[in-house]
Amino acid sequence: MPSHDFRAPRLFVDATLAPEARVALDRDQSNYLGNVLRLGAGDPILAFNGRDGEWQAAIDGRKRPDSLVILRQTRPQDGLIDLAYVFAPLKHARLDYMVQKAVEMGASVLQPVMTRFTQASRVNSDRMRANVIEAAEQCGILSLAAVAEPLALERYIGQRAAQRLLVFCDEAADSDDPIAALQGAREAAHGIDVLIGPEGGFAEEERALLLRQPHILRLALGPRILRADTAAVAALALVQAALGDWGGQIPLAHR
């Protein structure tokens, strides 16, 4: 059974949560609670901030919701495994979807990388963070994934920690058993980076650069070509099942 209440509305607040604390709501939050959810003074809600766990709160305000009164903790704060999702950005709605699904799948860091065939030339980091929060609110998630600023692929490769396992999802790799391949890398995983490229694929010089990296696992995602947002879900599911918190492994320390 789920360990949290799916029926109660949840709200992310960037404030310290403690018994009897009062948290002011911004205009968007007030509008969401009062006009979208039709909630008013005294109605219960769950609040979280990514640091202090989840808390039951009551809405306060005379004409419209303007604050929350924090009552009691419902769940303690948890952590995320050290799993970075590294991806070539997509455009608009498909990027929103990709970010939300990566959060649901337990990624702790979202790192956009720019490649030769990347579809989107700009990344709206604020919009990505908003999608992280929305996914966490809707899915009972307590810990928020960090959103990193975009990097060129070469710069990302140059500054990443060499001891981390790089799971390179490559359509040109042999389509062998991906679960077995990941399980074989279990002892070498000191943090995991899962890399999904653009739908145009990696340029040959980019692929050659990646394949020269230490602690790299070149992984095929089955016999069919997947869209990048679908590949994100498939790759993260495989990694979580073999190395992460789906398969009963001890979670890697959050960096």
Side-chain angles (χ1 to χ4, degrees), residues 98-107 110 131-132 135-136 141 143 145:
M98 178 187 287
V99 169
Q100 292 168 6
K101 299 311 160 187
V103 171
E104 292 176 37
M105 299 299 293
L110 306 179
N131 275 291
V132 168
I141 295 169
S143 296

Side-chain angles (χ1 to χ4, degrees), residues 214-227:
H215 301 298
I216 186 170
L217 176 61
R218 192 181 182 196
L219 198 68
L221 298 176
R224 288 166 292 279
I225 299 297
L226 304 178
R227 290 171 57 151

